[in-house]
Structure formats: C-alpha cells, structure tokens
Amino acid sequence: MALKTFKSYTKSTRGTVLVDRKNLWKGKPLKSLSYGTTSTGGRNNLGRITSRHKGAGHKQKYRQVDFYRKKDDIEAKIERIEYDPNRSSYVALIKYSDNQMSYIIAPNKINIGDTIVSGRNKEIKVGNCMPLSDIPPGTQVHNVELVEGGGGKLARSAGASVTLSGFDDEYAIIKLSSGESRKVRIGCKATIGTVSNPDQKNIKIGKAGRNRWKG
C-alpha cells in the first residue's frame, strides 16, 4: 500500500498523510466470522472510568482471526484482503480446499489468489505456517507462538516481524525488533514473512486541535 497526501486547502490537511486503502475489500466482513462489540465508554465493570477520553466512535465488528493455523496439509486460497478496525494490520479471508473460510493476519506482499498452507516440511513461502524447527535461520517470521498450540502471540501488529537466529537443543532463538532475544520451543509455529501495512508508522493525522481550555 502507498501513502497519500492532501492539498493544503485547510490547516488540518496541510500535514496529513494517510495510507491509501483503495485496493482493499470495500464490502462488509464475512457474517459467519464476525460479531458486534459493545462500547464501554472507557469504563470497567463498576462503571468507573479507567480509560480517559474514550467514548462514542463508529460501530465496529470484531473479525475472528485464526492465530492457531491448525488445519495442516490443506491448501487455502487468498479470497480478499480487508481493513480491520480492531488492529493496525490488515486481515486476509482465506478459503481452504474443503470450502471452510477463515481470517488470518495478512502477510506483507501477499496477493489475492495466492495459495498458502500450514504443516510440517512446507515450502518457505510468504504466508505458509510451520514449526520453527522447519524454518532456516535468518528467516523473518510473524505470528509466533510462545507455547506449542497456544496460538501466535509475537509480531502481530502492522509491519512487525522477528528473525529466527538459530537453535539451541530443543529451543529456537528468535530476535525481536527491540533487539531482545528469546527462546521458544522448536515445536512452536510461526508464519513466514512480515505483517502487512508497514506504512502504518508513517501516518500523520495533520494539525492538532486548538486547546479549548486555554485561558
């Protein structure tokens, strides 16, 4: 995705930079894989405000994203790529060869019509999911499990990835973008590639509002 700028017709558009989403799906999310959420207004179960300056906003539907990728050895085709209001990355709707549909975090540089697969000893290809033991060192991965079968926990936000540095007996050494190194079991799954929407960090919402409380 590319960035788009605006002509400075107003003060607020002078510095505005947004991500161009013209190639994303324009329709609604898949009904069977989404449900409505309730706005809390920043309040907890006692009705006390715990997150200030939060309220109202547009209605959003939560997409049930598959962080587990447990359907092994069954190819899936990328049907469409969608914007998800609940996360910074995009989500991809995939259709398995047995006609089951699912949402996954969309990897960067993946296109509609591409095929992906999960399981042991698969091709090192963007979007494929496999245990860390089957991935060569130096590969960038995302949606990495911390516990075998526990679902991806690391590198799920826009543009995120970790690098598989090497192996130490039954553990894989992964290097995070912060420079930290962690050890996880080699049986934990990870998805090849980086997360979509890397330009999220370049967004500028333009001019800040005036301080209405200034005396």
Side-chain angles (χ1 to χ4, degrees), residues 70-191:
K70 289 183 177 180
K71 287 181 70 70
D72 292 346
D73 305 320
I74 302 177
E75 285 193 349
K77 182 180 178 182
I78 305 294
E79 292 290 309
R80 64 196 191 206
I81 299 175
E82 300 181 12
Y83 167 76
D84 188 350
N86 304 289
R87 62 192 74 252
S88 57
S89 64
Y90 301 136
V91 293
L93 181 66
I94 61 175
K95 184 177 183 180
Y96 290 97
S97 55
D98 59 1
N99 292 329
Q100 181 177 343
M101 309 288 280
S102 180
Y103 275 119
I104 63 168
I105 291 180
N108 195 29
K109 297 182 179 179
I110 202 165
N111 301 309
I112 298 172
D114 290 352
T115 58
I116 58 175
V117 68
S118 175
R120 294 295 310 271
N121 301 317
K122 302 302 179 186
E123 180 186 358
I124 305 301
K125 173 186 172 184
V126 172
N128 285 356
C129 181
M130 63 197 74
L132 290 169
S133 58
D134 295 340
I135 303 175
T139 307
Q140 286 189 318
V141 294
H142 66 276
N143 194 38
V144 184
E145 292 181 336
L146 293 177
V147 178
E148 294 181 37
K153 297 293 189 296
L154 291 179
R156 302 195 321 195
S157 62
S161 67
V162 299
T163 304
L164 178 61
S165 299
F167 299 96
D168 184 10
D169 293 333
E170 294 298 315
Y171 291 89
I173 303 171
I174 56 176
K175 186 175 182 180
L176 280 60
S177 58
S178 63
E180 175 189 357
S181 293
R182 299 190 67 169
K183 284 186 177 181
V184 296
R185 301 280 296 183
I186 58 175
C188 293
K189 284 186 174 181
T191 306

